[in-house]
Amino acid sequence: MATWDPEAYLQFADERGRPFFDLTLRVLADRPGLVVDLGCGPGHLTATLAERWPQARVHGLDSSVEMIQRAQRLRTAQVTYAVADIAQWRPSEQVDVLVSNATFQWVPGHRQLLPRMVGALAPAGWLAFSVPGNFDQPSHRLLRELAADARFADHTRSVAYPMAFDAASYLGDLAALGCRVEAWETTYLHVLSGGDPVFRWISGTGARPVLQSLPEGRRAEFEDEYKALLRQAYPAQLHGTVLPFRRVFVVAQRG
């Protein structure tokens, strides 16, 4: 199983956090008692939910031991963190606000989990999630193509790639469950700085399973070629390297 490096992930904390705030802004819960963040990562964004709803108990969950160890630094009486498999998660009590930012794409068949997620909500409770919508973009396409090269394929063949759907698909799923749904898509233009910034971005997230599947010598060879391809696809400009990043957002209130 691929592991997470919280420090690599946090290199672009501001850019990765922007969709979280755009998402939770549309959650209009008044005084929720229990707020859960599924896929909380290093926990810094989860902590802001306690500022948003100071009367709520806030619980962050993530399948990564490394991420939760990092998040525990932010633990308070109001905000707690724990390791959990989202695909198997079932709360012990009803949840008023259930948030998930850039996590469901890692869960195979995650649309099949939506009925359970809605069922976990209190009456009039909120489910809000975002997923990447950029898996057809050069950063991911070049990754898959290079991983399929004969030099690397024996190591990468079993890698599972993240996957997500468009806003209309999620809207239909949740409307059929009796929810009132708002769904939209946004393409951010992230201006990144420093050397090989797109590689540093994706190596902390979407490229991890591929990179970690390769033995050390092959990994260095793969990284050198992948960096060169990314520099062509995302050329540096005077103001920085622009990474277009489409995100899909869904906010649903249980009927």
Side-chain angles (χ1 to χ4, degrees):
M1 179 181 294
T3 59
W4 286 85
D5 181 345
E7 302 310 320
Y9 182 84
L10 288 168
Q11 282 187 69
F12 300 101
D14 288 345
E15 292 85 356
R16 297 193 199 281
R18 199 171 306 155
F20 179 90
F21 295 110
D22 289 345
L23 174 71
T24 55
L25 180 67
R26 299 301 305 156
V27 178
L28 305 181
D30 184 16
R31 294 180 58 83
L34 177 59
V35 177
V36 175
D37 184 3
L38 294 179
C40 66
H44 60 300
L45 296 175
T46 312
T48 68
L49 298 174
E51 299 170 5
R52 168 84 181 272
W53 293 296
Q55 78 290 339
R57 289 173 293 130
V58 179
H59 194 38
L61 302 172
D62 203 287
S63 62
S64 166
V65 173
E66 299 83 11
M67 287 294 199
I68 291 300
Q69 287 175 340
R70 182 67 167 76
Q72 294 292 8
R73 303 180 190 179
L74 303 173
R75 184 185 181 99
T76 67
Q78 184 186 0
V79 185
T80 59
Y81 301 93
V83 176
D85 180 355
I86 292 174
Q88 306 299 324
W89 173 76
R90 286 175 171 77
S92 58
E93 59 183 292
Q94 289 186 313
V95 179
D96 297 296
V97 177
L98 184 54
V99 175
S100 184
N101 181 58
T103 298
F104 284 168
Q105 74 275 10
W106 293 107
V107 182
H110 61 264
R111 288 173 67 185
Q112 299 172 21
L113 300 180
L114 293 179
R116 176 149 52 89
M117 298 293 176
V118 172
L121 298 176
W126 296 79
L127 169 63
F129 64 91
S130 74
V131 290
N134 68 329
F135 298 121
D136 60 344
Q137 292 300 296
S139 56
H140 288 274
R141 177 174 50 79
L142 293 169
L143 175 71
R144 294 190 296 268
E145 290 174 356
L146 188 57
D149 184 279
R151 294 168 295 163
F152 311 114
D154 285 346
H155 304 288
T156 63
R157 189 169 288 115
S158 62
V159 167
Y161 292 94
M163 186 178 69
F165 300 85
D166 62 8
S169 297
Y170 295 116
L171 187 151
D173 291 342
L174 290 162
L177 294 170
C179 295
R180 182 172 62 85
V181 188
E182 180 181 9
W184 70 98
E185 300 179 4
T186 297
T187 297
Y188 296 88
L189 298 179
H190 296 305
V191 181
L192 310 181
S193 60
D196 292 307
V198 178
F199 174 80
R200 288 188 289 113
W201 174 290
I202 196 170
S203 64
T205 52
R208 292 175 311 102
V210 170
L211 297 177
Q212 293 180 23
S213 72
L214 295 166
E216 187 172 343
R218 285 296 187 197
R219 185 183 306 169
E221 180 182 8
F222 185 98
E223 289 185 356
D224 286 344
E225 293 191 27
Y226 187 37
K227 288 176 182 177
L229 291 168
L230 291 174
R231 285 195 294 268
Q232 285 187 315
Y234 303 94
Q237 303 177 50
L238 290 177
H239 53 276
T241 299
V242 178
L243 173 64
F245 202 119
R246 174 172 159 258
R247 300 268 185 180
V248 176
F249 297 85
V250 183
V251 175
Q253 186 177 24
R254 183 175 181 177

